[in-house]
């Protein structure tokens, strides 16, 4: 670790306080040796309209997804990308973005697939930084290329595939983080996103519905630990030690929930099913439940 | 390659994009985004008059006028936090300005895919612009028939 942690009291309550920094902390540490700030947004042009000074941009579509396969980039491409952004294997990376860090959490999860050790989120993301009137700039940094090793992605620990979900059914909890309308099957796509559709609506049997943004406070920061426990353990019924799989539509909103469960609540085996509803809802003969009830897992 | 049915301004915009490197195409899209005109006074306080294009990732509202001579005018508004969507709306507002209803309806539906933006912003995002064009044509048909 090259840059110290944010030891604020709010973060200390979380299972892994070292995964978050506050806007105050970041403002004090901008320019520190060994720190690279990354902006990752839904809108591919938002960074260009102004960003945190020194921040580089990583786009989830064009940088992190393979252009041909429905998969993430290879170890070679990831190494090339991070080198260009001035990130080494031991760099402290702080990621922030729009919409409650929706896409920032997705980028952080992909960094995790590649085993990048010190990667953190800016609590409150882009919205909070701007709401506080902090400095933004349109100057795009030109980082000196860094050495980043080619690392094989490890898809076995925090990523779930359709087959993993099928064998998980009935043995562990699932969290569906989509909107209530998508969960019940009233619609196949997120309001406003029908281009990422599926052939059948509904949810995976036994999945609990916890829309992802419930983890965020109105100022886009994460809710405190007690509030999060009440939602995920109280309402959704997760128990310590559970193996959990989270899913949404393409795996981005569920990355946010993956972050909450893993780093804020301390679950040790949480996987994000990135195939999510666009795969499950179009797959042949996988079980689906419609309506507000979780539903039963069919007998094998 | 020339397209016989592509109106001059849309053709110019297309050539302008294709002449640039991928990275500079994003900058050009940002310029379009910044050029999206303010709404005319008469619509500013009437969000109810606008049709929301739900296919776009970010909220965008459009309003299409067809005057007595059949000339089309497209107005659009989208939040500053959605510069890509604003850019798409701005390209169409500029590119369709002054065309007749027939000319607008003849614009190829895949025009958004021809701007060389699919690699720069991803195919998924470009579909938002396709939807915007589709909605515009739909409104032209409705208004012309009225």
């Amino acid at each position: 670790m090259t840059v110290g942690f944010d030891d604020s009291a709010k973060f200390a309550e979380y299972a892994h306080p070292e995964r978050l920094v506050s806007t105050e902390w970041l403002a004090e540490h901008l320019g520190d040796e060994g720190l690279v700030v990354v902006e990752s947004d839904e809108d591919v042009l938002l960074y260009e309209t102004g960003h945190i000074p020194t921040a580089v941009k990583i786009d989830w579509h064009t940088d992190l997804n393979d252009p041909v396969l429905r998969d993430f980039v290879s170890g070679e491409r990831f190494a090339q990308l991070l080198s260009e952004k001035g990130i080494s294997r031991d760099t402290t990376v702080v990621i922030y973005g729009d919409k409650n860090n929706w896409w920032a959490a997705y980028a952080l999860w992909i960094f995790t697939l590649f085993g990048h050790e010190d990667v953190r989120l800016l609590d409150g993301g882009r919205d909070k930084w701007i709401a506080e009137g902090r400095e933004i700039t349109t100057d795009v940094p030109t980082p000196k290329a860094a050495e980043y090793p080619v690392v094989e992605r490890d898809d076995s620990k925090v990523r779930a595939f359709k087959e993993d979900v099928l064998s998980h059914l009935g043995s562990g909890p699932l969290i569906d983080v989509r909107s209530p309308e998508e969960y019940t099957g009233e619609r196949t796509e997120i309001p406003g996103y029908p281009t990422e559709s599926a052939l059948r609506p509904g949810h995976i049997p036994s999945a609990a519905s916890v829309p992802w943004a419930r983890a965020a406070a109105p100022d886009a920061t994460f809710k405190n630990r007690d509030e999060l426990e009440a939602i995920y353990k109280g309402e959704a019924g997760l128990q310590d030690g559970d193996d959990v799989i989270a899913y949404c539509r393409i795996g981005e909103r569920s990355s946010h929930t993956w972050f909450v469960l893993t780093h804020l609540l301390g679950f040790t085996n949480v996987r994000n099913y990135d195939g999510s509803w666009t795969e499950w809802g179009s797959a042949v003969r996988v079980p689906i439940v419609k309506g507000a009830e979780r539903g039963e897992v069919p007998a094998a | 390659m020339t397209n016989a049915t592509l109106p001059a301004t849309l053709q110019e915009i297309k050539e302008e994009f294709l002449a640039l490197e991928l990275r500079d195409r994003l900058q050009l899209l940002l310029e379009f985004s910044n050029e999206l005109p303010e709404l005319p006074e008469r619509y500013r306080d009437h969000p109810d008059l606008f049709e929301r294009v739900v296919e776009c990732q970010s909220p965008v509202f459009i309003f299409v006028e067809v005057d007595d001579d059949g000339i089309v005018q497209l107005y659009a508004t989208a939040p500053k936090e959605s510069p890509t969507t604003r850019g798409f709306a701005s390209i169409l507002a500029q590119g369709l300005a002054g065309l007749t209803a027939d000319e607008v309806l003849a614009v190829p539906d895949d025009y958004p895919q021809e701007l060389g933006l699919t690699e720069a912003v991803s195919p998924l995002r470009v579909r938002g612009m396709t939807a915007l064009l589709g909605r515009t044509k739909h409104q032209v048909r409705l208004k012309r028939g009225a």
Side-chain angles (χ1 to χ4, degrees):
Chain A
M1 309 291 151
T2 41
V3 180
F5 298 121
D6 183 340
D7 55 7
S8 70
K10 179 194 171 192
F11 300 160
E13 295 178 355
Y14 296 132
H16 298 286
E18 72 278 10
R19 292 297 176 177
L20 286 173
V21 302
S22 61
T23 50
E24 294 78 17
W25 183 96
L26 186 61
E28 281 167 23
H29 287 83
L30 281 182
D32 277 10
E33 186 75 21
L35 170 71
V36 173
V37 183
V38 171
E39 176 160 340
S40 210
D41 297 317
E42 176 185 38
D43 193 299
V44 68
L45 274 179
L46 195 52
Y47 169 91
E48 277 79 3
T49 67
H51 51 264
I52 296 178
T54 75
V56 295
K57 161 177 150 181
I58 292 185
D59 182 66
W60 67 281
H61 269 299
T62 56
D63 290 325
L64 296 175
N65 274 274
D66 186 279
V68 180
L69 293 188
R70 183 173 174 190
D71 201 357
F72 304 114
V73 290
S74 65
E76 287 79 13
R77 178 66 197 121
F78 189 74
Q80 187 192 343
L81 173 72
L82 267 58
S83 301
E84 287 167 11
K85 303 295 178 186
I87 298 171
S88 312
R89 192 67 173 161
D90 61 356
T91 298
T92 296
V93 178
V94 171
I95 311 182
Y96 73 98
D98 59 351
K99 303 193 172 170
N100 301 337
N101 277 326
W102 173 345
W103 306 93
Y106 182 75
L108 182 143
W109 176 71
I110 293 172
F111 272 60
T112 305
L113 292 175
F114 286 101
H116 191 94
E117 198 177 329
D118 190 3
V119 55
R120 317 176 190 179
L121 283 185
L122 172 67
D123 196 28
R126 180 181 168 96
D127 291 346
K128 185 157 191 273
W129 182 274
I130 289 174
E132 291 170 344
R134 296 183 188 277
E135 187 186 354
I136 58 168
T137 178
T138 52
D139 292 343
V140 176
T142 47
K144 197 161 138 276
E147 289 283 328
Y148 201 92
V150 173
V151 181
E152 279 303 306
R153 217 176 51 226
D154 181 354
D155 290 336
S156 69
K157 295 192 178 68
V158 300
R159 186 179 189 192
F161 296 97
K162 181 168 124 254
E163 297 70 27
D164 300 322
V165 178
L166 281 168
S167 60
H168 182 79
L169 277 183
S171 65
L174 285 149
I175 301 284
D176 184 320
V177 315
R178 298 172 302 159
S179 62
E181 295 79 11
E182 293 169 277
Y183 180 84
T184 58
E186 215 173 294
R187 58 166 88 219
T188 49
E189 75 281 340
I190 182 174
Y193 296 69
T195 51
E196 293 170 29
S197 196
L199 294 173
R200 295 297 165 110
H203 59 266
I204 301 178
S206 80
S209 168
V210 186
W212 70 282
R214 290 195 59 201
D219 67 353
T221 59
F222 288 105
K223 286 182 178 161
N224 67 37
R225 175 122 191 205
D226 287 347
E227 293 170 310
L228 294 175
E229 300 259 355
I231 294 168
Y232 293 97
K233 292 184 178 171
E235 291 176 36
L238 296 184
Q239 296 180 353
D240 289 329
D242 274 347
D243 293 350
V244 188
I245 293 179
Y247 71 94
C248 57
R249 169 183 52 117
I250 56 169
E252 14 63 88
R253 285 174 286 177
S254 45
S255 301
H256 191 270
T257 299
W258 170 86
F259 183 89
V260 170
L261 295 177
T262 301
H263 293 313
L264 306 187
L265 294 180
F267 286 88
T268 52
N269 190 2
V270 185
R271 284 175 289 169
N272 179 23
Y273 169 38
D274 59 278
S276 277
W277 200 257
T278 50
E279 178 180 49
W280 195 273
S282 295
V284 176
R285 295 182 94 178
V286 297
I288 289 176
V289 173
K290 287 187 76 171
E293 299 300 320
R294 294 186 187 185
E296 298 296 318
V297 174
Chain B
M1 217 172 73
T2 56
N3 191 325
T5 57
L6 206 51
T9 312
L10 287 176
Q11 180 67 32
E12 282 165 26
I13 293 172
K14 175 178 157 179
E15 284 168 8
E16 217 179 328
F17 272 105
L18 293 180
L20 297 172
E21 300 282 335
L22 279 189
R23 190 171 304 221
D24 295 331
R25 287 178 197 170
L26 276 185
Q27 280 303 325
L28 181 58
L29 185 59
L30 185 60
E31 283 172 33
F32 274 103
S33 175
N34 293 334
E35 287 167 12
L36 182 66
E38 286 281 316
L39 293 176
E41 196 85 49
R42 61 190 180 281
Y43 297 134
R44 249 171 247 172
D45 299 320
H46 292 282
D48 50 306
L49 295 175
F50 280 76
E51 177 178 1
R52 180 170 179 170
V53 181
V54 294
E55 287 87 348
C56 284
Q57 294 205 347
S58 305
V60 53
F61 296 86
I62 63 167
F63 193 88
V64 177
E65 287 179 347
V66 183
D67 71 12
D68 294 342
D69 299 323
I71 302 296
V72 173
Q73 198 65 46
L74 165 68
Y75 300 103
T77 181
K80 285 215 168 353
E81 295 74 31
S82 306
T84 302
T85 302
R86 287 176 61 87
F88 290 162
S90 178
I91 289 170
L92 290 180
Q94 292 188 31
L96 301 179
L99 297 185
T100 65
D102 285 335
E103 286 170 329
V104 171
L105 294 176
V107 171
D109 291 331
D110 62 356
Y111 175 75
Q113 277 91 57
E114 296 183 352
L115 297 175
L117 284 170
T118 44
E119 265 180 84
V121 307
S122 89
L124 197 65
R125 286 166 171 145
V126 169
R127 280 193 236 169
M129 185 169 169
T130 309
L132 206 53
L133 178 59
R135 290 289 170 161
T136 303
K137 288 186 176 186
H138 178 68
Q139 282 215 11
V140 167
R141 283 189 200 98
L142 288 179
K143 302 252 153 99
R144 191 175 58 166

